[in-house]
Amino acid sequence: MAQDRVLVFDTTLRDGEQSPGASMTLEEKVRIARALERLRVDIIEAGFAIASPGDFAAVQAVAETVKEAKVCSLARVRIEDLDAAAGALKSAVSPRIHTFIATSPIHMHYKLRMLPEQVIEQAVKAVHYARNLVEDVEFSCEDAGRSDPDFLCRIIEAAITAGARTINIPDTVGYSIPGPFGQLIALLLERIPNAHQAVFSVHCHNDLGLAVANSLSAIQQGARQVECTINGLGERAGNAALEELVMAIRTRQDLFQVETRIETTEIVPTSRLVSSITGFPVQPNKAIVGVNAFAHESGIHQDGVMKHRETYEIMRAQDVGWNANKMVLGKHSGRAAFRARLEQLGASVGSDAQLNALFERFKELADKKHEIYDEDLQALVSAESVSAVPQVFELEFLEVLSKTGQPPEACLKLKVHGQSKQVQAIGSGPVDASFRAIEALANSGAILELYSVNAITSGTDSQGEVQVRLNEAGRIVNGQGADTDILVASVKAYLDALNLLHDVSERAHPQLHREGV
Ligand code: MN
């Protein structure tokens, strides 16, 4: 049966985070890792341990949290990389080291400045060394899509002999086309004498919009692991989208005859969590997780669906978690129900004091808003985790005057390093006025790279969730704020971003040390 299982290797926390602007805090990475575990992915690539102390700590924290899935760290073929990966994975139940070296002529010549023989030697040494640190070692041929198949056969055979049990074929630059890419996998499986001792994996990028198509073609030719990210997050055009791969395999059983372990009803909640943490919105017409993916607007289609669902629907919205937006709690819900729902959502409630603080915020929200949805609870948890960051700036008071024919004016009172300060500013709109007022006190000089408002749930009493991305000399942070008043949410998000910039334990954006398959 194992032959017919495709392993899902999620790299949202490593490759996904390498998208410009998608940086996550340690706490956010742990929250996503928990969601990935509920989604039942097989392997979670938690980061690149050697890249920075922040990356190391994040891999370590994910390794401590996750019990069901394997936890993986990326490592170049260097001793110090492999040691860092093993160190960060020490407490993992099932650790995996993923080591890689480039195998295309262009990368070997210009980047590595190594001869092909030296590349094989380095790969073999690294796999041997890694196998002495952990049982489970994956080896990747970076830029395999543009590598010579003969050379791939030689280096992969050597890596398997050295102990690699997963062989990954990445299309690092998104250059491949489905037919030939599938044929490459078939050729490797056929020609490498010890191929049967390893699981073959693919890692596709979406530069030509073919990441999912290439991965599916590889599965048809025998690949049994796919590397992917939630919402297709990733550098440039992104990685293969987990939700599309999983649902294509499941919907077209007639063609694939393989299965994944994925709990598909967790797809939409996980997609929303990743989108809200990174500030990367999901386009409405995105397959599976876009808000319109299951909307049948046309009258003829609606009529057809009502008469017999399968006339126009190939999947059921509830199978991917679309009806998750249901009322769960209200004003009269008690502490026990509140705690139970948070736990079901995978939030770690921690101490009684933390629960009390969350419950108090919940009651405040329930006063303003009738029905509290799961999405509202997620936002509450996000807001609470914000206060784990040292609060240099705190909102005390906000008044915004907005009147036709007059420039909007914001009057703002902040606590800055514990001291109350007040300021007024005008702007081209109420948000602009509020942000100018904050900057008059903070003087951060940071560039506002993103400002976005989303309604967390439907209805005009919905909470607004605001994302603010600030860039201070290349250091990028994502601030979040939620409130039934979108101006208050905006100010909270801006202050959250400023507090993150002040937090020295937060690392530089991974773009500054980007490398990987
Ligand atoms: Mn990649």
Side-chain angles (χ1 to χ4, degrees):
M1 258 343 245
Q3 269 307 94
D4 301 318
R5 161 89 58 79
V6 171
L7 301 172
V8 176
F9 176 113
D10 181 279
T11 185
T12 305
L13 299 177
R14 201 277 299 169
D15 217 350
E17 204 210 14
Q18 285 180 211
S19 338
S23 51
M24 307 167 200
T25 66
L26 184 143
E27 186 277 336
E28 288 166 341
K29 285 189 170 185
V30 170
R31 209 137 41 95
I32 290 175
R34 282 207 193 91
L36 292 172
E37 201 171 29
R38 284 197 301 285
L39 185 63
R40 286 168 53 87
V41 305
D42 298 279
I43 303 110
I44 297 173
E45 187 162 55
F48 194 174
I50 191 96
S52 72
D55 269 77
F56 187 94
V59 175
Q60 204 170 31
V62 172
E64 279 164 14
T65 308
V66 168
K67 300 286 175 256
E68 295 267 319
K70 284 178 184 282
V71 181
C72 174
S73 171
L74 189 66
R76 286 163 300 191
V77 292
R78 302 180 185 174
I79 302 292
E80 56 276 29
D81 278 44
L82 300 163
D83 283 338
L89 292 169
K90 200 161 265 169
S91 50
V93 176
S94 328
R96 171 181 289 191
I97 293 178
H98 176 194
T99 188
F100 72 97
I101 192 164
T103 52
S104 62
I106 187 169
H107 276 231
M108 291 193 286
H109 185 75
Y110 292 101
K111 190 177 83 174
L112 301 174
R113 295 179 191 285
M114 278 187 213
L115 294 169
E117 294 313 315
Q118 292 173 298
V119 171
I120 294 183
E121 193 191 308
Q122 295 273 313
V124 165
K125 253 198 218 158
V127 172
H128 259 302
Y129 189 84
R131 272 301 299 262
N132 286 326
L133 300 169
V134 298
E135 260 307 293
D136 185 354
V137 175
E138 169 170 337
F139 173 69
S140 275
C141 310
E142 185 189 358
D143 204 18
R146 292 189 300 175
S147 301
D148 168 27
D150 289 337
F151 182 64
L152 285 178
C153 286
R154 286 172 53 217
I155 194 167
I156 291 169
E157 183 181 352
I160 295 173
T161 304
R165 288 297 167 263
T166 304
I167 296 295
N168 184 40
I169 308 298
D171 181 22
T172 307
V173 293
Y175 181 69
S176 298
I177 300 292
F181 190 66
Q183 283 155 23
L184 172 67
I185 301 300
L187 175 144
L188 296 175
L189 285 169
E190 190 190 297
R191 285 193 17 204
I192 298 168
N194 54 5
H196 61 280
Q197 291 177 35
V199 171
F200 276 64
S201 166
V202 291
H203 174 115
C204 295
H205 277 272
N206 209 29
D207 298 72
L208 293 172
L210 295 171
V212 169
N214 287 334
S215 306
L216 291 174
S217 174
I219 289 171
Q220 286 189 302
Q221 298 301 330
R224 286 296 176 265
Q225 175 178 292
V226 280
E227 303 197 354
C228 46
T229 59
I230 302 295
N231 301 336
L233 192 69
E235 285 181 68
R236 308 186 308 276
N239 288 64
L242 179 146
E243 59 279 4
E244 294 176 19
L245 279 170
V246 166
M247 291 313 291
I249 292 170
R250 188 175 135 136
T251 307
R252 297 309 305 270
Q253 272 301 302
D254 56 326
L255 291 176
F256 291 102
Q257 289 155 0
V258 290
E259 56 183 25
T260 70
R261 283 174 76 234
I262 295 298
E263 174 52 59
T264 59
T265 56
E266 291 291 336
I267 285 177
V268 167
T270 312
S271 159
R272 290 197 161 184
L273 181 67
V274 169
S275 169
S276 111
I277 283 176
T278 57
F280 276 54
V282 173
Q283 78 197 56
N285 56 327
K286 166 82 175 62
I288 321 291
V289 293
V291 287
N292 288 350
F294 290 88
H296 295 274
E297 290 289 349
S298 123
I300 295 169
H301 286 203
Q302 282 177 353
D303 184 54
V305 169
M306 276 176 341
K307 283 182 180 144
H308 187 68
R309 195 182 55 81
E310 283 84 2
T311 44
Y312 287 99
E313 267 191 23
I314 59 165
M315 295 172 278
R316 292 193 309 173
Q318 61 264 42
D319 288 350
V320 296
W322 265 114
N323 57 354
N325 190 353
K326 57 183 187 284
M327 191 199 63
V328 285
L329 297 170
K331 202 173 168 163
H332 303 291
S333 301
R335 199 176 301 249
F338 176 70
R339 174 175 215 142
R341 192 62 202 155
L342 282 182
E343 279 167 358
Q344 278 163 14
L345 290 172
S348 75
V349 177
S351 66
D352 279 351
Q354 273 169 310
L355 178 71
N356 289 345
L358 275 171
F359 190 65
E360 207 163 293
R361 283 172 191 254
F362 162 74
K363 283 289 182 189
E364 282 166 20
L365 181 63
D367 274 337
K368 290 189 241 174
K369 189 173 182 291
H370 245 32
E371 301 165 321
I372 308 287
Y373 297 93
D374 287 349
E375 290 82 348
D376 291 313
L377 294 181
Q378 294 279 18
L380 271 184
V381 175
S382 289
E384 198 53 32
S385 77
V386 161
S387 42
V389 175
Q391 300 288 289
V392 176
F393 300 97
E394 283 174 273
L395 174 64
E396 288 200 310
F397 171 84
L398 173 71
E399 186 185 310
V400 182
L401 218 72
S402 193
K403 204 170 171 188
T404 43
Q406 273 181 29
E409 188 178 350
C411 174
L412 181 79
K413 206 165 157 193
L414 291 186
K415 224 184 224 171
V416 186
H417 288 291
Q419 246 189 320
S420 280
K421 291 186 177 174
Q422 197 165 328
V423 72
Q424 270 169 311
I426 56 169
S428 58
V431 175
D432 186 48
S434 306
F435 287 3
R436 278 169 194 268
I438 296 173
E439 274 300 327
L441 290 176
N443 272 317
S444 77
I447 297 162
L448 179 67
E449 287 203 334
L450 172 105
Y451 168 75
S452 87
V453 190
N454 281 297
I456 296 184
T457 54
S458 54
T460 49
D461 72 340
S462 164
Q463 289 198 86
E465 185 178 42
V466 175
Q467 312 282 341
V468 164
R469 183 176 303 148
L470 293 180
N471 183 337
E472 188 189 47
R475 197 153 163 256
I476 298 172
V477 292
N478 287 308
Q480 294 156 46
D483 200 279
T484 47
D485 179 332
I486 60 162
L487 288 172
V488 173
S490 302
V491 166
K492 282 181 177 171
Y494 199 101
L495 295 177
D496 181 31
L498 285 179
N499 287 327
L500 283 167
L501 280 178
H502 273 263
D503 184 6
V504 285
S505 71
E506 273 309 310
R507 68 206 181 121
H509 185 262
Q511 273 251 304
L512 298 175
H513 45 68
R514 175 172 48 166
E515 205 170 344
V517 296

